[in-house]
Amino acid sequence: MFDDELLYLLASRNVQLAREAGALATLPTALNLFSITSVLMGELARAGELAAEAAAITQATGGVELRHARVILGAWRGDQAETTALSASTAQDVAYPDGSTDASQAQYAMAVLNNGLGNYAVAQEAAAQACTSREIAISGSSLTEFIEACVRAGQPERATQAME
């Protein structure tokens, strides 16, 4: 569905261009995208470094905190405390209503986390909510998590219905 190598190259290039331009207003967003891309490529250590850099720049410049990379990285690391806290914080923030990109990413992260922890009913619920996202990258990734949760919970018919 996606060209992972091209996504990685573009995300890396975006960071490079923001650094070269000294664009502190856009660098945290570029770092967050590159961090998420690194998570999906299995480079969790690098993703952590990029997310930390984005957070440091945002704090130093007084910008708005971007939680995307941290919540997804936390989920892939199996960090239940951080992922749950960041997801709950997003859900309670009126700036991120249900169906928003941020809310959907938090639900996707909860699906990843709970599939990894074997909490398949919770993963199904979170993934089902994230699947409604208008962002194809989120809805597509969430569908995969939903199918995994259904199959592992012994509900392959529900997974089959989701693929139709």
Side-chain angles (χ1 to χ4, degrees):
M1 175 158 56
F2 298 106
D3 185 338
D4 295 338
E5 291 176 10
L6 179 59
L7 176 60
Y8 191 86
L9 177 67
L10 291 173
S12 173
R13 181 77 174 132
N14 195 17
V15 169
Q16 179 185 356
L17 291 172
R19 286 186 202 281
E20 288 172 0
L24 291 179
T26 60
L27 184 55
T29 302
L31 288 164
N32 267 276
L33 174 61
F34 194 24
S35 177
I36 292 168
T37 303
S38 297
V39 167
L40 299 176
M41 298 292 284
E43 297 179 4
L44 301 184
R46 180 180 190 118
E49 293 167 3
L50 294 164
E53 182 181 355
I57 292 169
T58 299
Q59 184 177 21
T61 60
V64 176
E65 176 190 17
L66 301 173
R67 302 176 190 141
H68 310 100
R70 288 181 43 221
V71 72
I72 291 173
L73 178 61
W76 279 72
R77 284 182 169 164
D79 187 336
Q80 188 171 14
E82 180 171 30
T83 305
T84 302
L86 288 169
S87 293
S89 176
T90 300
Q92 294 169 0
D93 193 328
V94 295
Y96 308 119
D98 286 343
S100 69
T101 299
D102 296 84
S104 296
Q105 283 182 329
Q107 289 298 325
Y108 163 74
M110 291 302 294
V112 168
L113 174 70
N114 284 289
N115 267 335
L117 296 175
N119 301 326
Y120 303 121
V122 176
Q124 283 180 36
E125 183 180 328
Q129 289 179 22
C131 281
T132 65
S133 175
R134 287 178 245 167
E135 296 285 339
I136 192 164
I138 298 170
S139 60
S141 298
S142 299
L143 179 59
T144 303
E145 295 299 323
F146 181 77
I147 291 168
E148 178 179 351
C150 290
V151 170
R152 292 186 183 271
Q155 300 172 348
E157 65 286 343
R158 196 165 179 211
T160 301
Q161 289 173 352
M163 291 190 302
E164 293 177 348

